[in-house]
Amino acid sequence: MDTRWIGHPFFHMEEVDSTNEEAKRYASQGVESGALIVAEKQTAGKGRRGRSWSNTPGECLQMSLLLRPSLTPNETAGLTLVAALAVCRAVESVLPSLRPQIKWPNDVIVGTKKICGILVELLLDAGQNIVVIGIGVNVNNMCFPGELREKATSLRLETGRPVERELLMERIWQDFETLYERYQLTNNMRGLKPDYEQRLVNIGRPVCVRYAAESLEGIAEGIDTEGRLLLRGNDGIQRRIDAGEVSVRGIYGYV
């Protein structure tokens, strides 16, 4: 890949339980920051809140980046937004006809359906932060099972033609390198906030934030510099949301 430090070293495998789990194993062996793990098939892939993630070999991009950043746990949380922005920019570059957007904090969608999921995990190893950024992109999928048909799409379905996975992978990590270095200037989303909000599908739309046993409805007004969602509740009070499930009216079947 034509990248400066991501993908050096690069690990490619036909099958693995989870690229995130494989990245953790490499981290425990002392592999350096910037290592990239890519798999054709995951047997135990996972998404947010422990949801499963499966695929047919050769259709998706499934990859995890190993980082050893000088960031606090709170600062690390913003990297999930950085990754989503990198995917959007890469898709826009490779497929100019598409206009991907972000459903806060890190689901990348085209139209009303999801093309990409991102899972960022933070570990502590001998006092050092280790971050694993897992990205799964539906690239050349032609169909989805069961209820996923209503929620997921692929770049091939949206464009009507096959998409070169290697090129998209390279662009994603080129963009991530650039965005990550901008993020490190302030260790928050201050410098990236305009770019992120430009692609944020939630802005100005009704959202419902669901916690364990509660829900809050209002209008999304963007993000703050820490990457939290700004929600103007129906009571007129603006709140900063840093956890919970977000549903947007018209997206993922929320009506």
Side-chain angles (χ1 to χ4, degrees):
M1 294 197 305
D2 185 18
T3 49
R4 285 173 281 119
W5 54 271
I6 291 178
H8 312 293
F10 181 95
F11 301 94
H12 176 266
M13 50 205 67
E14 290 300 317
E15 183 175 305
V16 69
D17 54 352
S18 159
T19 57
N20 268 31
E21 293 303 314
E22 189 73 1
K24 295 175 192 177
R25 289 189 282 268
Y26 280 121
S28 69
Q29 298 168 16
V31 172
E32 61 264 38
S33 185
L36 184 63
I37 296 89
V38 179
E40 294 299 324
K41 181 179 181 181
Q42 294 185 116
T43 59
K46 57 184 179 178
R48 293 182 67 222
R49 299 182 178 271
R51 299 187 180 103
S52 63
W53 177 274
S54 61
N55 74 295
T56 300
E59 293 183 340
C60 300
L61 278 177
Q62 298 174 125
M63 49 197 180
S64 295
L65 174 67
L66 170 61
L67 292 178
R68 300 178 184 272
S70 299
L71 300 172
T72 67
N74 285 340
E75 291 167 345
T76 297
L79 295 181
T80 188
L81 282 73
V82 176
L85 183 54
V87 172
C88 276
R89 287 170 49 129
V91 171
E92 292 165 358
S93 174
V94 174
L95 302 169
S97 64
L98 296 186
R99 290 293 178 266
Q101 294 178 288
I102 301 168
K103 173 180 171 286
W104 183 86
N106 59 6
D107 282 353
V108 180
I109 66 172
V110 173
T112 62
K113 294 184 178 182
K114 182 174 176 178
I115 62 162
C116 172
I118 295 166
L119 178 64
V120 176
E121 297 183 273
L122 172 65
L123 314 168
L124 292 176
D125 181 28
Q128 181 187 35
N129 286 344
I130 294 175
V131 176
V132 175
I133 300 176
I135 298 179
V137 185
N138 297 330
V139 183
N140 288 317
N141 311 61
M142 292 301 293
C143 62
F144 295 91
E147 64 177 16
L148 285 181
R149 294 192 191 104
E150 302 301 319
K151 299 181 178 181
T153 187
S154 72
L155 298 177
R156 182 171 182 173
L157 288 174
E158 294 299 318
T159 60
R161 59 185 177 85
V163 176
E164 186 180 344
R165 290 187 304 154
E166 292 84 353
L167 175 60
L168 180 62
M169 177 178 66
E170 181 178 60
R171 293 290 173 82
I172 289 172
W173 296 116
Q174 286 172 341
D175 279 309
F176 185 87
E177 283 184 338
T178 299
L179 297 171
Y180 180 64
E181 289 165 7
R182 287 172 59 188
Y183 184 88
Q184 288 183 305
L185 295 175
T186 57
N187 290 341
N188 60 34
M189 289 294 292
R190 183 176 295 119
L192 301 178
K193 187 173 180 287
D195 285 350
Y196 183 89
E197 288 185 332
Q198 180 183 349
R199 297 167 174 86
L200 185 60
V201 70
N202 306 78
I203 282 187
R205 303 180 70 167
V207 299
C208 177
V209 179
R210 296 195 176 106
Y211 296 97
E214 301 180 16
S215 63
L216 176 67
E217 294 192 7
I219 301 295
E221 297 183 334
I223 61 169
D224 66 8
T225 56
E226 305 305 315
R228 295 171 295 191
L229 184 69
L230 300 177
L231 177 65
R232 182 76 60 182
N234 293 336
D235 56 7
I237 298 174
Q238 188 188 72
R239 295 172 174 84
R240 298 169 188 263
I241 308 298
D242 58 8
E245 290 289 329
V246 174
S247 296
V248 183
R249 294 190 187 276
I251 304 293
Y252 297 177
Y254 175 52
V255 295

